Amino acid sequence: MKSDEKGFLYPIIDEEKCIDCGACRTVCQTYCDMPKLTNGQAYYKAVIRDEDILLNSQSGGMFTAISDYVLENGGVVYGAVLQGADKVIHKRAQSPEERDMMRGSKYIQSDLCDTFVNIRDDLNNGSLVLFSGTPCQCDGLKNFLNKTKTDTTKLLVVDLICHGVPSPLLWKDYVKHQERKYGGKIDKIIFRDKSFGWASHYESFWIKGKKYSCEEFKNLYCSNVCLRESCYMCKYSCLNRVGDVSIGDAWLKRGIHNHDILKGESLVIVNNAKGEKVFEMIKASINFQSVAISEYLQPQLITPPQSNDNAKQFWRVYRCFGYGYINFIFGKSGFINKVYKIIRRKIINIVSK
Ligand SMILES: Cc1cc2nc3c(=O)[nH]c(=O)nc-3n(C[C@H](O)[C@H](O)[C@H](O)COP(=O)(O)OP(=O)(O)OC[C@H]3O[C@@H](n4cnc5c(N)ncnc54)[C@H](O)[C@@H]3O)c2cc1C
């Protein structure tokens, strides 16, 4: 796997060694069919009972509830952790302390490293395994295990509802930019800090013990200028899920607001019998309620994110001038937005005269 100029990983085939067997195509989720929508899906909103865990989780703490069950039964957990401030990788956890490092969403593409091979080995050794990640990562894993004829009876897959993954290179530059600006190394980061309320989306970071919060990276992320190309065509942005259980934020659909929930709430989609069994086992540690999915259909469950018209210019300016400049031009309080607001105000004034 090699990074492209935006920092996204892509497979590179060594033509000298390739025997053209097509095995890579049979495991690549881009070429594989989606699993069929199961009839017996069940939908819940849920919150973990432990308030400390809830406040440190992104949504309602379902990942911890599920991974607790796996660890208590002697299993291993695979999930995304920060490596330093500027990289996200998937790691293996055997203890609650190692698992706690996976808590919270890191809004950049994680590097899976050797995760798929390690999971195959764990399953072959008879271990109970939980894998959690974006739906495309989950599907890739399932295809790989299928191709390698691995027995997946003891594998539990939890996929996240996903808006898309922004460029890891952009995030690296963001970290450098903030470190230069505030004169020190970032030693802790929260991508979406719940201390501002669950509905807000401030990133917070600590330098020399001092906390700084802003919406800079979030604004770039949410404006869809910096996602991986495949995210704009994501076939997983639907109710047809790849995990045994799917988790995300329990946002009510547009027009109905539940932003008064300050500490977070999970949407849980139980997709099959394996997921149902696990959900049954964690019920003692959560508060939950069955919901009608029609009320919780956020855009990510209906359609892929729409590419931003300015994306091409964004990457051109970024390549020429770097992060500081694109934040000035494309950020919410940046040049383009200011000009847009002035023009908009002028038009409204003219029209309303
Ligand atoms: C890139 C991204 C986009 C998302 N977009 C949406 C969205 O649009 N709507 C929505 O409802 N929910 C979204 N989520 C999911 C949501 O933010 C929570 O991660 C999810 O609800 C689990 O929260 P929790 O409280 O159960 O547990 P937490 O402890 O907060 O769960 C963390 C889980 O997220 C995984 N994770 C964290 N970062 C990454 C990463 N970079 N790549 C892969 N896995 C990761 C960890 O392995 C762990 O399983 C997104 C998550 C990510 C990572």
Side-chain angles (χ1 to χ4, degrees):
M1 303 293 282
K2 285 230 167 86
S3 306
D4 70 351
E5 54 183 8
K6 297 174 187 168
F8 292 110
L9 291 172
Y10 285 91
I12 304 292
I13 294 173
D14 183 340
E15 299 291 350
E16 300 259 299
K17 292 181 182 156
C18 174
I19 55 162
D20 209 15
C21 67
C24 54
R25 279 178 182 265
T26 60
V27 295
C28 179
Q29 75 278 1
T30 309
Y31 300 104
C32 294
D33 290 337
M34 279 284 287
K36 298 275 174 295
L37 181 60
T38 45
N39 283 329
Q41 266 182 342
Y43 313 101
Y44 303 93
K45 60 177 184 175
V47 166
I48 197 158
R49 289 201 177 138
D50 185 312
E51 184 149 321
D52 191 44
I53 297 174
L54 174 62
L55 289 173
N56 286 297
S57 305
Q58 208 60 74
S59 312
M62 280 313 99
F63 167 68
T64 299
I66 296 171
S67 51
D68 267 347
Y69 159 77
V70 171
L71 292 172
E72 279 158 18
N73 285 279
V76 291
V77 176
Y78 287 85
V81 300
L82 268 165
Q83 191 183 51
D86 63 359
K87 193 166 182 201
V88 177
I89 59 166
H90 259 70
K91 265 191 125 173
R92 180 179 189 272
Q94 258 183 310
S95 66
E97 293 73 28
E98 289 172 323
R99 183 278 319 276
D100 290 353
M101 306 301 290
M102 296 167 184
R103 219 173 259 150
S105 296
K106 298 100 194 159
Y107 294 113
I108 31 175
Q109 187 185 26
S110 82
D111 185 343
L112 287 163
C113 308
D114 293 329
T115 293
F116 287 7
V117 173
N118 293 338
I119 289 180
R120 180 196 60 194
D121 294 347
D122 275 331
L123 290 170
N124 284 340
N125 290 333
S127 300
L128 173 64
V129 176
L130 164 65
F131 175 80
S132 72
T134 58
C136 49
Q137 291 176 331
C138 293
D139 207 17
L141 169 69
K142 286 171 77 172
N143 292 337
F144 167 75
L145 294 173
N146 187 19
K147 180 77 189 163
T148 52
K149 299 194 169 44
T150 310
D151 181 357
T152 54
T153 318
K154 293 181 97 173
L155 173 71
L156 179 69
V157 177
V158 173
D159 70 312
L160 306 171
I161 299 171
C162 182
H163 176 83
V165 284
S167 151
L169 186 62
L170 196 65
W171 173 255
K172 253 191 179 67
D173 281 349
Y174 167 88
V175 168
K176 264 194 230 153
H177 173 83
Q178 303 297 9
E179 290 185 340
R180 248 195 322 265
K181 190 168 167 187
Y182 297 108
K185 285 254 153 240
I186 292 182
D187 31 52
K188 184 183 165 191
I189 286 184
I190 303 178
F191 281 73
R192 212 173 96 208
D193 187 350
K194 268 189 184 175
S195 69
F196 293 93
W198 181 45
S200 75
H201 203 314
Y202 283 86
E203 62 249 18
S204 291
F205 51 89
W206 282 256
I207 293 178
K208 292 181 187 162
K210 191 167 175 207
K211 179 177 175 179
Y212 301 88
S213 301
C214 62
E215 292 178 292
E216 262 180 42
F217 195 76
K218 166 258 174 173
N219 286 336
L220 294 175
Y221 178 32
C222 293
S223 63
N224 293 350
V225 280
C226 56
L227 303 183
R228 198 178 195 272
E229 278 307 309
S230 52
C231 297
Y232 303 117
M233 296 168 267
C234 178
K235 59 181 174 184
Y236 308 99
S237 301
C238 61
L239 270 180
N240 195 4
R241 309 303 301 179
V242 290
D244 301 302
V245 180
S246 309
I247 54 176
D249 291 310
W251 296 127
L252 282 167
K253 70 177 181 187
R254 277 195 189 126
I256 322 173
H257 296 289
N258 58 343
H259 290 181
D260 52 326
I261 298 167
L262 293 176
K263 294 175 187 164
E265 195 168 56
S266 289
L267 176 68
V268 185
I269 307 179
V270 177
N271 295 308
N272 55 30
K274 206 189 264 184
E276 211 174 285
K277 184 181 159 207
V278 172
F279 193 69
E280 202 52 47
M281 302 308 284
I282 65 167
K283 276 182 176 172
S285 63
I286 61 173
N287 293 323
F288 65 97
Q289 193 185 318
S290 179
V291 293
I293 193 61
S294 55
E295 289 184 3
Y296 286 84
L297 278 181
Q298 53 172 296
Q300 284 65 255
L301 290 171
I302 304 170
T303 179
Q306 253 203 325
S307 173
N308 187 310
D309 291 343
N310 293 323
K312 269 206 178 108
Q313 290 95 308
F314 172 87
W315 285 110
R316 220 173 285 146
V317 174
Y318 173 69
R319 266 193 295 275
C320 293
F321 302 106
Y323 176 81
Y325 205 71
I326 48 146
N327 186 45
F328 168 66
I329 300 280
F330 293 93
K332 205 172 185 179
S333 52
F335 181 71
I336 285 189
N337 260 306
K338 278 188 185 147
V339 171
Y340 169 74
K341 273 184 203 151
I342 292 168
I343 294 172
R344 193 168 160 262
R345 212 178 308 128
K346 287 228 150 73
I347 291 174
I348 292 172
N349 282 343
I350 292 167
V351 171
S352 56
K353 265 181 192 164

